Amino acid sequence: MSGALNRAMEKIGWRGYEGDVEEEYYEEEPFEEFEPVTPMPRPEIVSTPVHEPDMSRIVTVHPTSYDDARTIGESFRDGIPVIINLSNMREEEARRIIDFSAGLAFGLHGTIESVTNRVLLLSPESIKVEEGKETRSTVGGSFF
């Protein structure tokens, strides 16, 4: 240490600081050799099989309680379009089914559309729904 620092330390009672410190000596222990660690194999990336939509099926569900949401979710998850008729449900439970269905559509990249006031169409991502052209009603006229 420098001389000024030694004098300051002597004044506060730390005389001979450098001389009082003994160096500790440690015996070196023999070095253990370890076997090289073999790297862990990288996990294989396994993709979840994507369900091909069954274009020959559409599931229609007439839920009476929120317990019927499972049927809606399983069908939609399998890539099957689901028509949900909420006319037999109380308003409170119908809103829960709508919220559940909207979450399914968002989570699985599908769409949810209102067909009527109480009927919904839940379509998987692979199915595109197009709106039909508006037609004029012909009163008393022919179909064609």
Side-chain angles (χ1 to χ4, degrees):
M1 284 194 194
S2 71
L5 185 56
N6 281 334
R7 285 189 300 271
M9 290 175 68
E10 284 179 22
K11 286 188 180 192
I12 60 171
W14 289 2
R15 281 182 259 136
Y17 179 73
E18 283 184 6
D20 291 344
V21 176
E22 294 181 21
E23 285 190 33
E24 295 183 25
Y25 175 75
Y26 294 100
E27 257 185 56
E28 288 189 25
E29 294 181 14
F31 178 72
E32 286 184 44
E33 292 204 24
F34 295 100
E35 293 181 26
V37 177
T38 56
M40 297 284 291
R42 287 187 160 181
E44 292 182 27
I45 297 174
V46 179
S47 62
T48 307
V50 176
H51 295 284
E52 289 295 320
D54 185 359
M55 298 299 288
S56 63
R57 281 180 61 189
I58 294 178
V59 173
T60 303
V61 180
H62 299 270
T64 56
S65 71
Y66 187 74
D67 295 336
D68 296 325
R70 183 179 184 129
T71 304
I72 296 167
E74 288 173 347
S75 298
F76 186 69
R77 181 183 61 200
D78 291 339
I80 301 169
V82 181
I83 296 174
I84 307 165
N85 186 342
L86 301 170
S87 58
N88 297 330
M89 293 189 78
R90 294 182 326 209
E91 187 70 26
E92 181 181 303
E93 285 194 319
R95 285 186 182 157
R96 290 182 68 199
I97 291 284
I98 292 169
D99 289 344
F100 173 77
S101 301
L104 282 173
F106 178 79
L108 298 174
H109 305 285
T111 59
I112 184 169
E113 297 188 31
S114 177
V115 177
T116 67
N117 211 17
R118 305 280 287 179
V119 177
L120 304 172
L121 172 62
L122 197 55
S123 302
E125 179 181 23
S126 60
I127 295 179
K128 302 299 176 212
V129 178
E130 294 180 9
E131 289 189 34
K133 295 179 183 175
E134 285 190 33
T135 58
R136 285 187 278 165
S137 162
T138 55
V139 180
S142 70
F143 181 70
F144 298 101

